[in-house]
Amino acid sequence: MNEPARPANTWHEILRQAFKDHDVRLVTYVPDNVLRPLIEGCHADPFFTTFPCVREEEAVGIVTGATMAGMRGVVLMQTSGFATLPNVLASLVVACQVPVVMVVSERGTLGEFNPGQAIVCRTMRPILDSMGIEHHTMTRLDEAAFIADRTIRQAFATRWPACLILSPLLTGGRK
Amino acid sequence: MTETTGNLHVMNRAALTKRLVAGLKNREAVIGGIGNSNWDLWAADRTRGENFYMLGSMGLAAPIAMGVAIAQPKRRVFALEGDGSLLMQLGCLSTIAAQGVRNLCVVVWDNGIYQITGGQGTPARASGTDIVAIARASGIASAAWAADEAEFDALVARALATDGPHLIGVKIDNEPGREQTDRDPIRFRESFMRAMALPV
């Protein structure tokens, strides 16, 4: 018997579908354990050009270039990687108004064991707020598709970067 | 093609940038790195929509150029980057090599100093670091020093005609950039995007 087609029912399937719906074809990432199913799903799907970068700011540079040349992209990273980004976000992405979409798996909260990660996590939202970069924290599966779709849509419509933060409430986080 | 740094003629970034841009006939994209690389690109031809000028984000000329090259495989794309800037983002050479970006050429202007901040020497100069050797060791097989102007022209011609990624190392003098860009990032992005929307 064939399995009936089923709607996306995991957070990573939902995100991958949202990328597709908005023609986001370039997926760059700095590896992260929580993001693994999303990264693997993008690698396995020929719709996407998916590859790892050595630094988050490098990935933002690549996506900026691709976006300006007509190919939309996303940068996947974890919280500590995001913390390396203020200079490139301010002086390139925001200054030039390029709609770079970021997806950050949130570490450093809700049971973090590493004090360094916990402190880094507290810098993330103030950095985004200081530059007026819209961000939404995804905590519930039933809201995930709406938040991902609308956030990505607005980023491209308004030519402004945006950030989706994946809460451990959604992903299960790092055990 | 010159493999080592022992016998390299010291050239001038402004003159070579002008030479490079004047030879581009197919709407090639050129990404100028922060500071002097940018300013000499601006001085070479500020009317060229295919030029993109960075105002910050030191070290990202090559990654931005890589993104353009991936998005438009038929367009040739150049990154003009200083040695100090590239040192901040050396890992991008591995990323470029790993993706085998065929239509990308990184030009490295190497004067061994941070000219714009007062001419302080780079750690790479003190240690004798060979940037072309690093590029090769990172997997960019088509990486070479340009020994003189004629060889620079030949390496650019190779980058325009053959599959890369390519990297061209150029030893340059300490002259500052000849002009400064406007500081108008939104206009730069818009004019670059309009130019990239035109077919090659």
Side-chain angles (χ1 to χ4, degrees):
Chain A
M1 278 209 316
N2 291 331
E3 266 189 66
R6 59 184 176 81
N9 62 1
T10 63
W11 64 267
H12 46 94
E13 287 173 325
I14 287 168
L15 274 173
R16 194 148 46 88
Q17 188 59 48
F19 298 162
K20 282 187 172 178
D21 290 345
H22 294 282
D23 201 32
V24 175
R25 291 176 180 271
L26 178 61
V27 178
T28 62
Y29 65 90
V30 177
D32 172 65
N33 215 22
V34 172
L35 291 172
R36 243 176 94 184
L38 178 59
I39 291 167
E40 289 172 357
C42 291
H43 267 296
D45 187 334
F47 178 85
F48 300 107
T49 298
T50 307
F51 57 87
C53 295
V54 296
R55 282 181 70 77
E56 292 78 5
E57 62 178 7
E58 179 203 21
V60 169
I62 291 168
V63 169
T64 297
T67 302
M68 293 194 296
M71 182 188 203
R72 294 175 171 185
V74 62
V75 182
L76 315 180
M77 71 198 101
Q78 67 166 264
T79 314
S80 54
F82 175 84
T84 68
L85 288 181
N87 180 51
V88 64
L89 291 177
S91 68
L92 180 67
V93 174
V94 173
C96 293
Q97 294 183 11
V98 180
V100 172
V101 177
M102 296 171 279
V103 174
V104 181
S105 74
E106 187 174 25
R107 242 198 101 171
T109 186
L110 294 171
E112 178 62 53
F113 57 85
N114 178 339
Q117 291 278 357
I119 299 162
V120 165
C121 182
R122 290 172 205 136
T123 70
M124 177 164 57
R125 290 175 182 84
I127 289 169
L128 289 161
D129 289 337
S130 72
M131 290 182 241
I133 298 177
E134 185 143 323
H135 57 89
H136 294 283
T137 302
M138 297 167 63
T139 59
R140 294 168 54 99
L141 198 60
D142 61 345
E143 295 174 351
F146 187 91
I147 293 175
D149 173 67
R150 296 299 178 94
T151 301
I152 297 171
R153 175 178 309 185
Q154 182 169 333
F156 291 112
T158 61
R159 294 184 192 81
W160 202 259
C163 185
L164 293 167
I165 299 168
L166 307 182
S167 167
L169 286 164
L170 181 74
T171 63
R174 193 180 161 93
K175 307 293 190 296
Chain B
M1 309 307 157
T2 303
E3 312 244 332
T4 61
T5 58
N7 195 27
L8 298 174
H9 180 56
V10 174
M11 293 177 269
N12 179 266
R13 183 187 51 244
L16 285 189
T17 304
K18 207 161 187 169
R19 207 177 172 102
L20 169 72
V21 169
L24 300 179
K25 309 294 185 197
N26 294 302
R27 294 181 176 149
E28 293 86 350
V30 184
I31 311 301
I34 182 175
N36 288 320
S37 303
N38 234 349
W39 295 345
D40 281 339
L41 177 62
W42 173 263
D45 185 356
R46 72 184 61 184
T47 68
R48 210 175 168 274
E50 297 85 2
N51 294 350
F52 180 73
Y53 309 96
M54 288 163 53
L55 298 184
S57 60
M58 185 170 175
L60 290 187
I64 293 169
M66 177 183 172
V68 175
I70 287 173
Q72 298 200 8
K74 289 183 181 162
R75 192 185 301 271
R76 298 277 164 168
V77 184
F78 288 83
L80 309 182
E81 188 67 298
D83 54 328
S85 288
L86 184 61
L87 286 167
M88 283 203 167
Q89 200 69 235
L90 275 180
C92 76
L93 298 175
S94 294
T95 310
I96 289 166
Q99 295 309 311
V101 190
R102 293 178 305 171
N103 51 329
L104 175 64
C105 178
V106 179
V107 176
V108 184
W109 308 122
D110 183 358
N111 55 12
I113 60 169
Y114 300 103
Q115 195 281 330
I116 215 161
T117 57
Q120 303 88 345
T122 67
R125 182 175 74 171
S127 69
T129 304
D130 181 332
I131 283 173
V132 167
I134 289 176
R136 288 194 177 177
S138 303
I140 300 178
S142 177
W145 288 102
D148 54 25
E149 284 82 356
E151 199 167 76
F152 179 76
D153 290 346
L155 290 167
V156 170
R158 181 169 81 169
L160 288 169
T162 67
D163 282 352
H166 304 278
L167 183 139
I168 305 173
V170 186
K171 291 290 183 186
I172 59 161
D173 60 36
N174 298 346
E175 186 188 334
R178 292 195 180 169
E179 290 183 52
Q180 294 198 11
T181 55
D182 291 346
R183 263 62 169 208
D184 197 344
I186 294 172
R187 177 160 61 85
F188 292 161
R189 191 263 296 155
E190 282 180 347
S191 60
F192 184 74
M193 284 186 80
R194 270 199 298 274
M196 290 302 101
L198 296 172
V200 179

